[in-house]
Amino acid sequence: MAKIYDNTYFDNNIIPIEQANLSIAGSAVLYGLSVYTVFPIVYTKNGSLNAFRLKDHYNRLINSAKIIGIDTFEQNWNYNKFKCAVTELIQANTIKETVFVRATIHVNELVAGTRSRGLKSLLSMFIYEAEPIIPQNGAKLKTSVWRRIPDYAIPSRAKVNGAYINSVLAKQDAIDSGYDDCILLDINGHVCELSAANIFIVRSGTLITPGTSSDLLEGINRKTVLEIAHILKIPTEERNIDLTELYIADEVFACGTSAFIAPIHLIDARIINNKQTGPITKQVKDIYWSILNGTNPTYKNLLTPIETVA
Ligand code: PMP
């Protein structure tokens, strides 16, 4: 289990993690009625801290709340206030490594029943060690026995806590079978994503990923990979991918905040690219890390410096 830092942000206050608790009678606990995002804060060589695509994360969080109908949050918040809250949280802890921040809007109205509007909500944030959720040098994936929940049942582009039972089932199924993670297919049998990462394949020099109307989460790293490909002049396609295309792809990789860029070397016992990380994956991965580490001037605008002293 990843290390969690002691001080958290909870309902406008900095408090120790043991005290940051939600009621057993609140909607967040009863129905998983919370939305969240996770973003990295990168510790650079000179000891400074940068949040990656903070504004995109805030926007997705707000949009998730909007889709679900949590309407009491945005009235009191904006991006600048969020950035100040992140800074306050960072300053309340001593950070000497790259970390993840999990920011969640919880509905904490007690016994409200199965509804979402006009209910009390709060923001919580905690910091934890940035351990990747899958191996970084050749992960093994298994097609899940579970399908990705369709957008018409639980909105896929909203990051809703309760919906993550779908990911839990699929990831555990993969681990039980000796794999690192799963491939969730959509209800039509097309490739959708991993338990908590998006997927890309390379076929004949083209980078291909399922489109955003394929019941997947609109990953911020997915968007970053497409932007990197654009700059590198690598052709891209956003379209349906059949499972069998994965088996014969030249390269496959996953991307996400907690997966980073993870080459995939085995899918359902089929070996991908002779278990070697392919050239396009390598190129994208190298640029991705230069962006995160702040050494790539072209993408400096994707980083938000976080002041470590008040
Ligand atoms: N899909 C799912 C289901 C996820 O949980 C995540 C992780 N947030 C992703 C994709 C990747 O999204 P991002 O790049 O924004 O981390």
Side-chain angles (χ1 to χ4, degrees):
M1 300 292 165
K3 174 177 99 190
I4 302 181
Y5 283 69
D6 284 341
N7 289 320
T8 66
Y9 186 95
F10 189 81
D11 202 9
N12 300 313
N13 296 302
I14 299 288
I15 56 171
I17 184 100
E18 319 79 67
Q19 290 172 25
N21 298 320
L22 293 162
S23 170
I24 58 165
S27 303
V29 172
L30 293 178
Y31 309 116
L33 190 55
S34 303
V35 293
Y36 79 99
T37 194
V38 176
F39 55 88
I41 297 204
V42 183
Y43 185 71
T44 64
K45 272 195 189 132
N46 61 15
S48 60
L49 293 171
N50 292 322
F52 179 58
R53 304 202 88 145
L54 192 61
K55 190 132 202 244
D56 289 310
H57 280 280
Y58 178 75
N59 288 342
R60 187 174 65 189
L61 188 65
I62 291 297
N63 285 339
S64 293
K66 185 175 183 182
I67 291 170
I68 298 305
I70 301 172
D71 58 2
T72 52
F73 187 78
E74 211 183 345
Q75 302 159 0
N76 304 316
W77 283 82
N78 57 44
Y79 172 66
N80 276 340
K81 185 172 169 188
F82 180 71
K83 195 180 139 192
C84 289
V86 170
T87 306
E88 216 185 312
L89 171 71
I90 295 299
Q91 290 177 353
N93 292 277
T94 306
I95 296 163
K96 298 273 177 234
E97 61 179 340
T98 295
V99 291
F100 291 140
V101 174
R102 186 170 179 121
T104 311
I105 302 171
H106 306 279
V107 173
N108 66 333
E109 187 89 34
L110 306 189
V111 272
T114 51
R115 62 199 180 91
S116 62
R117 292 206 192 280
L119 308 178
K120 278 187 227 150
S121 61
L122 64 86
L123 176 72
S124 81
M125 289 193 280
F126 65 88
I127 305 170
Y128 60 109
E129 195 183 351
E131 271 181 8
I133 50 165
I134 49 174
Q136 295 292 287
N137 289 312
K140 299 178 290 179
L141 304 184
K142 172 192 182 282
T143 305
S144 184
V145 296
W146 302 95
R147 291 289 171 102
R148 178 73 162 116
I149 308 164
D151 190 63
Y152 59 71
I154 299 182
S156 335
R157 59 177 58 71
K159 223 166 146 45
V160 194
N161 287 34
Y164 272 79
I165 295 300
N166 190 218
S167 291
V168 169
L169 286 166
K171 172 97 179 182
Q172 191 61 55
D173 165 48
I175 295 170
D176 290 346
S177 307
Y179 288 80
D180 300 309
D181 210 297
C182 59
I183 289 163
L184 282 155
L185 303 179
D186 65 19
I187 45 133
N188 298 312
H190 291 126
V191 172
C192 193
E193 58 184 341
L194 279 70
S195 65
N198 293 112
I199 192 162
F200 280 83
I201 66 173
V202 176
R203 295 195 69 188
S204 307
T206 300
L207 197 52
I208 308 164
T209 195
T212 50
S213 57
S214 308
D215 296 334
L216 48 78
L217 181 79
E218 294 182 0
I220 287 164
N221 294 277
R222 174 188 179 281
K223 177 171 150 187
T224 306
V225 168
L226 289 170
E227 286 168 8
I228 293 172
H230 182 71
I231 301 263
L232 292 175
K233 298 200 166 38
I234 297 168
T236 59
E237 284 177 16
E238 293 180 64
R239 63 157 172 84
N240 288 342
I241 297 178
D242 289 330
L243 175 60
T244 48
E245 285 192 274
L246 291 188
Y247 297 165
I248 57 165
D250 302 325
E251 303 176 34
V252 180
F253 66 88
C255 72
T257 301
S258 319
F260 302 111
I261 304 284
I264 307 300
H265 287 177
L266 197 83
I267 299 174
D268 299 338
R270 275 86 169 174
I271 291 170
I272 310 297
N273 196 35
N274 220 6
K275 294 199 175 174
Q276 300 302 309
T277 298
I280 292 187
T281 306
K282 192 174 174 319
Q283 236 183 327
V284 170
K285 187 173 174 171
D286 288 350
I287 295 198
Y288 176 83
W289 278 106
S290 74
I291 300 172
L292 252 67
N293 289 330
T295 56
N296 193 323
T298 319
Y299 300 89
K300 271 257 156 69
N301 62 329
L302 300 184
L303 300 174
T304 303
I306 305 292
E307 294 296 326
T308 49
V309 279

